[in-house]
């Protein structure tokens, strides 16, 4: 589900899509336009603006790059207060390069995706996609970069409280996790790719560059391409505490085994109890 390039193109698309109508929330203040309500109190989540996780990326045993996951801001999208999150992976070998970015804008009250940007650059493939998602209207609109130009498609049906590839990484940190259970959600924004399943496999202690942690091991499965595809057999290690830090991720892709190991992290003081 997560492809390695969504990062770079997402930035290009970000510059285009946020020119009008969207306003960042900084230092507790909303730069909202006249007539637009200020952000509401967010539903409880184990993260906040400023959180950042940095990863060492390996293809098999070889270190080939870096990745990071962060909550960059709270921004107002179409009058709704959202979390703006990003997941980037950069790296590769002399014969295979990866540069992926996933950016999501998630409604802080309903935890629904309102916007999703994806840039995937893997090997010879290079794709940019931008999704505007309208949960209240039941549809989304996809824009693609074709021959250097952004082309917008037709309205397509979506689900209630939709999630995209990037927001899913943050969503799994908010749900109860019991070993042996399988959680099923009909929330992926493309209805034909539901359900999304999360199997809780086990608990174990692991050591990554950032230290030694007690962890919960999950196996997410989505009917999509990339890290969380059904063929990828991805596993995610989350810290077994209230923070739910992503400590490690392993997945098998077409070009080999992709592994992320937490190297360092920063959690703003307000999220620490």
């Amino acid at each position: 589900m997560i492809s390695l390039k969504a990062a770079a193109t997402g930035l290009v698309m970000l510059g285009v899509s946020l020119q009008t109508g969207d306003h960042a929330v900084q230092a507790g203040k909303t730069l909202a336009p006249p007539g637009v309500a200020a952000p509401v109190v967010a539903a409880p989540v184990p993260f906040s603006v400023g959180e950042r996780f940095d990863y060492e990326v390996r293809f098999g045993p070889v270190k080939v790059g870096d990745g990071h996951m962060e909550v960059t801001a709270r921004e107002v999208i179409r009058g709704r207060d959202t979390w703006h999150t990003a997941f980037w992976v950069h790296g590769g070998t002399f014969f295979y390069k990866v540069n992926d970015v996933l950016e999501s804008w998630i409604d802080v009250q309903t935890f629904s995706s309102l916007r999703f940007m994806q840039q995937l650059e893997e090997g010879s493939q290079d794709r940019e996609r931008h999704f505007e998602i309208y949960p209240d209207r039941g549809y989304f609109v996809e824009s693609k970069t074709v021959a250097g130009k952004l082309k917008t498609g037709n309205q397509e049906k979506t689900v209630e409280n939709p999630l995209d590839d990037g927001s899913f990484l943050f969503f799994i940190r908010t749900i109860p996790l019991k070993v042996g259970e399988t959680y099923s959600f009909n929330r992926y924004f493309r209805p034909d790719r539901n359900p999304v399943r999360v199997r809780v496999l086990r608990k174990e202690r692991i050591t990554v560059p950032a230290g030694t942690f007690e962890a919960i091991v999950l196996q997410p499965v989505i009917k999509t391409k990339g890290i969380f595809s059904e063929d990828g057999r991805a596993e995610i290690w989350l810290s077994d505490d209230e923070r739910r830090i992503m400590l490690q991720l392993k997945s098998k892709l077409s070009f080999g085994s992709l592994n992320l190991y937490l190297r360092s992290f920063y959690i703003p003081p307000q999220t620490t109890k």
Side-chain angles (χ1 to χ4, degrees):
M1 158 182 175
I2 296 178
S3 198
L4 301 179
K5 167 189 172 178
T9 304
L11 292 179
V12 174
M13 298 173 66
L14 180 62
V16 174
S17 65
L18 298 187
Q19 290 176 356
T20 61
D22 304 329
H23 299 259
V25 179
Q26 299 176 344
K29 297 182 180 180
T30 309
L31 307 179
V36 175
V40 297
V41 176
V45 291
F47 53 80
S48 68
V49 174
E51 176 189 88
R52 179 179 172 117
F53 306 146
D54 289 287
Y55 298 92
E56 180 179 290
V57 178
R58 292 179 176 268
F59 289 161
V62 181
K63 184 180 184 301
V64 295
D66 303 284
H68 75 259
M69 184 166 72
E70 64 180 325
V71 182
T72 65
R74 276 175 67 169
E75 298 173 3
V76 176
I77 302 295
R78 301 191 299 270
R80 301 291 298 182
D81 191 10
T82 69
W83 300 110
H84 177 189
T85 67
F87 179 74
W88 299 19
V89 179
H90 307 278
T93 65
F94 67 93
F95 63 88
Y96 199 99
K97 300 295 182 182
V98 171
N99 183 21
D100 289 3
V101 182
L102 303 178
E103 291 193 74
S104 302
W105 284 259
I106 311 162
D107 190 304
V108 302
Q109 284 188 301
T110 64
F111 216 92
S112 298
S113 299
L114 302 186
R115 174 177 292 160
F116 175 48
M117 295 186 193
Q118 181 185 63
Q119 179 178 344
L120 308 178
E121 182 181 345
E122 299 176 353
S124 61
Q125 298 184 5
D126 189 348
R127 294 179 295 168
E128 297 179 16
R129 295 189 295 179
H130 174 187
F131 300 89
E132 290 292 334
I133 306 171
Y134 300 83
D136 54 334
R137 304 178 191 176
Y139 68 83
F140 69 90
V141 178
E142 176 181 359
S143 299
K144 298 180 181 179
T145 299
V146 179
K149 296 182 179 180
L150 194 64
K151 295 188 176 181
T152 301
N154 298 322
Q155 295 179 6
E156 298 184 51
K157 184 178 179 180
T158 192
V159 300
E160 186 178 2
N161 296 327
L163 294 170
D164 60 64
D165 304 53
S167 61
F168 179 73
L169 280 174
F170 289 85
F171 172 70
I172 60 175
R173 298 172 61 191
T174 71
I175 62 177
L177 299 170
K178 183 178 180 181
V179 174
E181 294 290 333
T182 296
Y183 300 88
S184 183
F185 305 96
N186 289 310
R187 292 191 57 181
Y188 192 64
F189 76 103
R190 293 183 180 272
D192 61 340
R193 299 183 183 179
N194 282 308
V196 174
R197 299 187 304 276
V198 179
R199 302 186 183 101
V200 186
L201 303 179
R202 61 189 181 275
K203 292 187 177 185
E204 63 185 29
R205 175 175 292 184
I206 65 167
T207 298
V208 293
T212 299
F213 301 84
E214 299 295 332
I216 304 173
V217 188
L218 316 176
Q219 185 178 58
V221 179
I222 299 177
K223 297 175 184 177
T224 185
K225 295 180 180 180
I227 291 177
F228 298 127
S229 67
E230 293 178 294
D231 296 332
R233 298 188 296 280
E235 291 188 358
I236 294 175
W237 283 254
L238 296 181
S239 62
D240 188 12
D241 56 29
E242 62 185 11
R243 302 172 300 176
R244 292 285 199 256
I245 298 170
M246 191 175 83
L247 304 169
Q248 182 172 279
L249 183 153
K250 295 185 177 181
S251 180
K252 293 182 179 179
L253 300 178
S254 60
F255 54 85
S257 177
L258 170 69
N259 303 322
L260 277 68
Y261 302 96
L262 184 68
R263 181 172 54 205
S264 63
F265 63 94
Y266 173 73
I267 296 177
Q270 61 265 34
T271 64
T272 303
K273 294 184 179 181

